[in-house]
Amino acid sequence: MIPLPPFSEQQRIVERIEELFAKLDEAKERLQEVADSFAVRKAAILHKAFTGELTKQWRRENGMSDESWEEKTIGEICSSLKYGTSKKSSDDGEVVVLRMGNLQNGEIDWSNLAYTSDEEDIKKYLLKSGDVLFNRTNSPELVGKTSIYRGEMPAIYAGYLIKLDYEKNIVVGDYLNYYLNSSKAKEYYMQVKTDGVSQSNINAKKIGEFEIPLPTLPEQHEIVRLIDDLLARERSVQQATEQALASIDLMKKSILARAFRGELGTNKASEASALELLKQVLAEG
């Protein structure tokens, strides 16, 4: 059994559904564009940061010259580049073993963990807060991804990772981490990687030869602060966009439910307010 209004009313309901769905589909398309462009916007922020554009005003205010930056290789700013443990990890143990899957978006992802109780490995590979980890072996698209360990829980690192023991009087850990995740760094990884059957590799020698721009330590701290703030705003927009996309599907279901209860068009204020909310999210994006 289905509710069957007069034919003219059926036509009106269909026209109203199509009108509302068209508006929602247009909003969804624009929202999806905002969501999909997050990586592009992040890359643009990092580009401005590492070309000096982001802190141009800061240098003027602090009497710093635009020529105060210099180029140094990873090998010059690191005392060592250490490979992780080659021993097999287990499902339980005393200390976490970080693997390539735990390096996500510049931070450590603490899900899907492996462990070890090997005292020798724990002593040799135990991480300190601020350590930067480089993924030397992965798929061609993901090789070279880098994350910073912040000491959330005791951990060592697996053999597919390299720990960059950087000199703290030369480079800020977060600055190094951000730069090694930049488009410029990824271009370098594509040039120097060696490809196997299903994975690519970048050895310590190749990463050691990579040059990065280095401003003074105070400017590095300022760059990190600005990147953190800008990316936090981007993530906020991204989250709002994802919530709005989810709400569109719910609104469509609501429209259909009201249509077949004979209520469509009786609550135009709520329809307008919902669409207005979507417009605001798009404007902020």
Side-chain angles (χ1 to χ4, degrees), residues 124-135:
K124 185 176 181 180
Y125 300 107
L126 190 65
L127 292 166
K128 302 184 299 296
S129 181
D131 280 343
V132 173
L133 296 172
F134 178 87
N135 185 194

PDB file of all heavy atoms in Angstrom, residues 124-135:
ATOM      1  N   LYS A 124      68.366  -0.001  22.456  1.00  0.00           N
ATOM      2  CA  LYS A 124      69.047   0.517  21.271  1.00  0.00           C
ATOM      3  C   LYS A 124      68.172   1.471  20.456  1.00  0.00           C
ATOM      4  O   LYS A 124      68.677   2.451  19.889  1.00  0.00           O
ATOM      5  CB  LYS A 124      69.485  -0.657  20.387  1.00  0.00           C
ATOM      6  CG  LYS A 124      70.302  -0.262  19.175  1.00  0.00           C
ATOM      7  CD  LYS A 124      70.771  -1.500  18.423  1.00  0.00           C
ATOM      8  CE  LYS A 124      71.613  -1.119  17.212  1.00  0.00           C
ATOM      9  NZ  LYS A 124      72.083  -2.318  16.471  1.00  0.00           N
ATOM     10  N   TYR A 125      66.868   1.214  20.394  1.00  0.00           N
ATOM     11  CA  TYR A 125      65.996   1.952  19.476  1.00  0.00           C
ATOM     12  C   TYR A 125      64.933   2.809  20.163  1.00  0.00           C
ATOM     13  O   TYR A 125      64.045   3.347  19.487  1.00  0.00           O
ATOM     14  CB  TYR A 125      65.295   0.977  18.526  1.00  0.00           C
ATOM     15  CG  TYR A 125      66.235   0.173  17.680  1.00  0.00           C
ATOM     16  CD1 TYR A 125      66.449  -1.190  17.930  1.00  0.00           C
ATOM     17  CD2 TYR A 125      66.934   0.753  16.622  1.00  0.00           C
ATOM     18  CE1 TYR A 125      67.314  -1.945  17.152  1.00  0.00           C
ATOM     19  CE2 TYR A 125      67.798   0.012  15.832  1.00  0.00           C
ATOM     20  CZ  TYR A 125      67.990  -1.340  16.109  1.00  0.00           C
ATOM     21  OH  TYR A 125      68.853  -2.083  15.338  1.00  0.00           O
ATOM     22  N   LEU A 126      64.989   2.950  21.491  1.00  0.00           N
ATOM     23  CA  LEU A 126      63.969   3.718  22.206  1.00  0.00           C
ATOM     24  C   LEU A 126      63.950   5.168  21.730  1.00  0.00           C
ATOM     25  O   LEU A 126      64.981   5.838  21.663  1.00  0.00           O
ATOM     26  CB  LEU A 126      64.220   3.669  23.711  1.00  0.00           C
ATOM     27  CG  LEU A 126      63.090   4.232  24.584  1.00  0.00           C
ATOM     28  CD1 LEU A 126      61.825   3.374  24.457  1.00  0.00           C
ATOM     29  CD2 LEU A 126      63.533   4.303  26.046  1.00  0.00           C
ATOM     30  N   LEU A 127      62.755   5.637  21.402  1.00  0.00           N
ATOM     31  CA  LEU A 127      62.594   6.989  20.872  1.00  0.00           C
ATOM     32  C   LEU A 127      62.484   8.027  21.978  1.00  0.00           C
ATOM     33  O   LEU A 127      62.015   7.743  23.072  1.00  0.00           O
ATOM     34  CB  LEU A 127      61.340   7.044  19.992  1.00  0.00           C
ATOM     35  CG  LEU A 127      61.392   6.249  18.687  1.00  0.00           C
ATOM     36  CD1 LEU A 127      59.997   6.112  18.092  1.00  0.00           C
ATOM     37  CD2 LEU A 127      62.331   6.915  17.684  1.00  0.00           C
ATOM     38  N   LYS A 128      62.896   9.269  21.637  1.00  0.00           N
ATOM     39  CA  LYS A 128      62.735  10.412  22.522  1.00  0.00           C
ATOM     40  C   LYS A 128      61.733  11.375  21.879  1.00  0.00           C
ATOM     41  O   LYS A 128      61.635  11.456  20.648  1.00  0.00           O
ATOM     42  CB  LYS A 128      64.079  11.129  22.750  1.00  0.00           C
ATOM     43  CG  LYS A 128      65.173  10.243  23.323  1.00  0.00           C
ATOM     44  CD  LYS A 128      66.416  11.035  23.612  1.00  0.00           C
ATOM     45  CE  LYS A 128      67.025  11.684  22.387  1.00  0.00           C
ATOM     46  NZ  LYS A 128      67.506  10.682  21.397  1.00  0.00           N
ATOM     47  N   SER A 129      61.019  12.096  22.737  1.00  0.00           N
ATOM     48  CA  SER A 129      60.038  13.052  22.233  1.00  0.00           C
ATOM     49  C   SER A 129      60.721  14.053  21.292  1.00  0.00           C
ATOM     50  O   SER A 129      61.763  14.622  21.619  1.00  0.00           O
ATOM     51  CB  SER A 129      59.384  13.800  23.396  1.00  0.00           C
ATOM     52  OG  SER A 129      58.423  14.710  22.912  1.00  0.00           O
ATOM     53  N   GLY A 130      60.139  14.253  20.130  1.00  0.00           N
ATOM     54  CA  GLY A 130      60.706  15.156  19.139  1.00  0.00           C
ATOM     55  C   GLY A 130      61.469  14.445  18.037  1.00  0.00           C
ATOM     56  O   GLY A 130      61.862  15.075  17.044  1.00  0.00           O
ATOM     57  N   ASP A 131      61.678  13.122  18.181  1.00  0.00           N
ATOM     58  CA  ASP A 131      62.376  12.374  17.140  1.00  0.00           C
ATOM     59  C   ASP A 131      61.564  12.376  15.843  1.00  0.00           C
ATOM     60  O   ASP A 131      60.338  12.254  15.862  1.00  0.00           O
ATOM     61  CB  ASP A 131      62.625  10.928  17.580  1.00  0.00           C
ATOM     62  CG  ASP A 131      63.823  10.797  18.517  1.00  0.00           C
ATOM     63  OD1 ASP A 131      64.639  11.741  18.567  1.00  0.00           O
ATOM     64  OD2 ASP A 131      63.950   9.755  19.183  1.00  0.00           O
ATOM     65  N   VAL A 132      62.258  12.497  14.725  1.00  0.00           N
ATOM     66  CA  VAL A 132      61.630  12.513  13.406  1.00  0.00           C
ATOM     67  C   VAL A 132      61.918  11.189  12.710  1.00  0.00           C
ATOM     68  O   VAL A 132      63.066  10.756  12.616  1.00  0.00           O
ATOM     69  CB  VAL A 132      62.142  13.693  12.556  1.00  0.00           C
ATOM     70  CG1 VAL A 132      61.617  13.608  11.125  1.00  0.00           C
ATOM     71  CG2 VAL A 132      61.718  15.019  13.185  1.00  0.00           C
ATOM     72  N   LEU A 133      60.852  10.545  12.221  1.00  0.00           N
ATOM     73  CA  LEU A 133      60.963   9.240  11.573  1.00  0.00           C
ATOM     74  C   LEU A 133      60.631   9.353  10.087  1.00  0.00           C
ATOM     75  O   LEU A 133      59.616   9.937   9.708  1.00  0.00           O
ATOM     76  CB  LEU A 133      60.014   8.238  12.233  1.00  0.00           C
ATOM     77  CG  LEU A 133      60.306   7.910  13.704  1.00  0.00           C
ATOM     78  CD1 LEU A 133      59.178   7.069  14.293  1.00  0.00           C
ATOM     79  CD2 LEU A 133      61.635   7.187  13.847  1.00  0.00           C
ATOM     80  N   PHE A 134      61.492   8.762   9.266  1.00  0.00           N
ATOM     81  CA  PHE A 134      61.373   8.803   7.799  1.00  0.00           C
ATOM     82  C   PHE A 134      61.073   7.404   7.287  1.00  0.00           C
ATOM     83  O   PHE A 134      61.768   6.443   7.639  1.00  0.00           O
ATOM     84  CB  PHE A 134      62.676   9.337   7.207  1.00  0.00           C
ATOM     85  CG  PHE A 134      62.714   9.380   5.707  1.00  0.00           C
ATOM     86  CD1 PHE A 134      62.237  10.478   5.019  1.00  0.00           C
ATOM     87  CD2 PHE A 134      63.250   8.317   4.977  1.00  0.00           C
ATOM     88  CE1 PHE A 134      62.282  10.518   3.631  1.00  0.00           C
ATOM     89  CE2 PHE A 134      63.303   8.352   3.594  1.00  0.00           C
ATOM     90  CZ  PHE A 134      62.819   9.461   2.918  1.00  0.00           C
ATOM     91  N   ASN A 135      60.044   7.269   6.465  1.00  0.00           N
ATOM     92  CA  ASN A 135      59.639   5.968   5.925  1.00  0.00           C
ATOM     93  C   ASN A 135      60.445   5.669   4.652  1.00  0.00           C
ATOM     94  O   ASN A 135      60.135   6.172   3.592  1.00  0.00           O
ATOM     95  CB  ASN A 135      58.141   5.989   5.633  1.00  0.00           C
ATOM     96  CG  ASN A 135      57.593   4.658   5.182  1.00  0.00           C
ATOM     97  OD1 ASN A 135      56.493   4.580   4.681  1.00  0.00           O
ATOM     98  ND2 ASN A 135      58.338   3.575   5.350  1.00  0.00           N
TER      99      ASN A 135
END
